[in-house]
Amino acid sequence: MSTRGVVYVHSSPSAVCPHVEWAISGTLGVRASLQWTAQPEAAGQLRAECGWTGDPGTGAKLVAALKAWPMLRFEVTEEPSPGVDGERFCFAPTLGLWRARTSANGDIVVGEDQLRAMATAARSNESFAHRVDEVLGASWDAALEPYRRAGDGAPVTWLHRVG
């Protein structure tokens, strides 16, 4: 059983780009040669995307490998597969890592226990709304959105795990 996903490296210093490729290559077991383009949102930074296929859980492994460079801005998605939820990961230098489960259509899945805990802990409507924003990754979306828009139309490299 396999799944697929995408690695979006929204910004990377040029000196780190080969390390990013090595990290992806080591995780997927296939040579990654990404097409790096300028990131207009951050002078001197580059961006790249690559689609991947692999076993469920590969997205988390890719994130673990990429977190070695805390100056990167990146996202990793993993599509749901039979019996396994999808996942979305976002990383921004000032915020760190955010992770959520995703449904078949890509929506963030918030569990009933999470909702109950949020409702119980909320002291006001504003605190509940703030916690919902945290669970949905609103701060990460706000931090990464300018970098996402700057990558519209950029080339995507497809990588397939072997073995």
Side-chain angles (χ1 to χ4, degrees):
M1 176 175 38
S2 69
T3 189
R4 62 186 180 170
V6 180
V7 174
Y8 303 92
V9 180
H10 295 300
S11 69
S12 173
S14 60
V16 177
C17 294
H19 299 283
V20 169
E21 291 183 6
W22 296 330
I24 293 171
S25 297
T27 302
L28 296 178
V30 62
R31 188 180 186 294
S33 181
L34 306 181
Q35 294 180 358
W36 294 94
T37 58
Q39 172 50 272
E41 190 64 28
Q45 301 277 310
L46 299 174
R47 64 161 324 281
E49 298 177 17
C50 69
W52 58 269
T53 59
D55 296 330
T58 298
K61 292 176 183 173
L62 286 162
V63 169
L66 293 173
K67 278 184 11 180
W69 297 279
M71 74 291 292
L72 296 177
R73 285 177 183 83
F74 67 87
E75 293 180 80
V76 176
T77 63
E78 179 172 321
E79 293 183 5
S81 53
V84 181
D85 290 330
E87 291 188 289
R88 181 173 158 221
F89 304 85
C90 297
F91 187 89
T94 57
L95 298 170
L97 181 66
W98 172 82
R99 177 183 191 172
R101 294 179 310 152
T102 58
S103 65
N105 68 349
D107 285 345
I108 302 301
V109 175
V110 181
E112 84 182 67
D113 288 340
Q114 284 178 284
L115 287 172
R116 283 193 178 109
M118 289 167 35
T120 300
R123 303 270 184 240
S124 66
N125 290 342
E126 292 80 22
S127 67
F128 182 76
H130 176 73
R131 183 65 182 126
V132 169
D133 280 348
E134 286 178 342
V135 169
L136 296 178
S139 295
W140 284 263
D141 282 339
L144 295 174
E145 189 59 30
Y147 297 89
R148 293 174 183 149
R149 281 194 310 266
D152 287 347
V156 178
T157 304
W158 280 94
L159 304 171
H160 303 280
R161 184 180 182 122
V162 294

